[in-house]
Amino acid sequence: MFHARFMSSRKFILNFRARGGGAVRPLLLVLLSVSSLHYYAAKAYNPTTKWRRGPANCMSVASILCCCWCLSSGPTTTSAETLLRPAHQWNFENGLVVFSERTQVGHLQLENPKLLGSGGGGAVFSMEDTTSSTNVVAVKVSWSGSADGVANECRILQTLRERLGSNTMCVETCLGMATYPYETNRIMIALQPVAADEPVGSINDLVGKERIETALRAVVRTMVQFLSAGIVSVDVQPLISAASGNVLFIDLTEAHELITSSSSSLSSNTNLALVGSFVSEMMALIPADLQESSIVATALLDAMNDH
């Protein structure tokens, strides 16, 4: 009974310390003083009371030990409660997103979240990596029902890097994955690069021949790279830079690896359907009047020669 009350008191005070800041230690010292006075007052009122039988004495001893233990338990800034104290919060239709002052994803220590956007897969934020003064990463936080898709996105991006190496272009790099600390059925992934320029809706919206050609080559090259790596996606989402024409394909939650098991060949009906859908979506990004242009044909040949 005594031990249970003692542990309960310690837990209460530690939780209070995590929320109360620097005013807690003086309070504990006051409690220690009151407990001591309580003990001596009880002795003065009944000097014959024995140590082991006096309930007032036992309560005083318990309070003194509890205060001493809490005072010696280390600085408040290292407690788990303090590290997870909410500092930033956004409320979306699909759920709440909360960040503490510092968030860890893999080896990255991240802070200063800024909302970039949200969708069916999750909410995306730009955050600064404290290990580098210039590193900005995108952090996607899944919803409770989209964790598998976001985890698949990270795995697909890592597979592309493994199979294509330094030739990989126009897609993000997944730097790490972690459980969302406030809801364990959600996850977070860290991605780079973060698109800095304002995107346009399509290649038709680009101004200037050079920007248009840059975007056309990026679309064709990315299509060939995905196919050569055995990866397809049924929902391609490009960010096309208005300033440069560079293209970044994002949100690969619906991407798939082509089936290559011993019981199924690459020409299986499933693979053919996935490849046909992927190629159709990629070609739809190219304006109809440019799909048979020499720029597209040259880009296709160059990409095939590289693989």
Side-chain angles (χ1 to χ4, degrees), residues 114-129:
K114 297 177 182 177
L115 179 64
L116 296 177
S118 64
V124 183
F125 303 81
S126 68
M127 299 186 75
E128 299 172 9
D129 180 12

Side-chain angles (χ1 to χ4, degrees), residues 247-258:
V247 181
L248 180 68
F249 286 90
I250 63 170
D251 198 10
L252 296 178
T253 54
E254 300 297 325
H256 300 275
E257 284 190 71
L258 296 176

Side-chain angles (χ1 to χ4, degrees), residues 144-160:
S144 58
S146 65
D148 290 343
V150 174
N152 176 67
E153 178 178 7
C154 184
R155 183 182 59 82
I156 288 291
L157 290 171
Q158 291 174 340
T159 300
L160 282 169

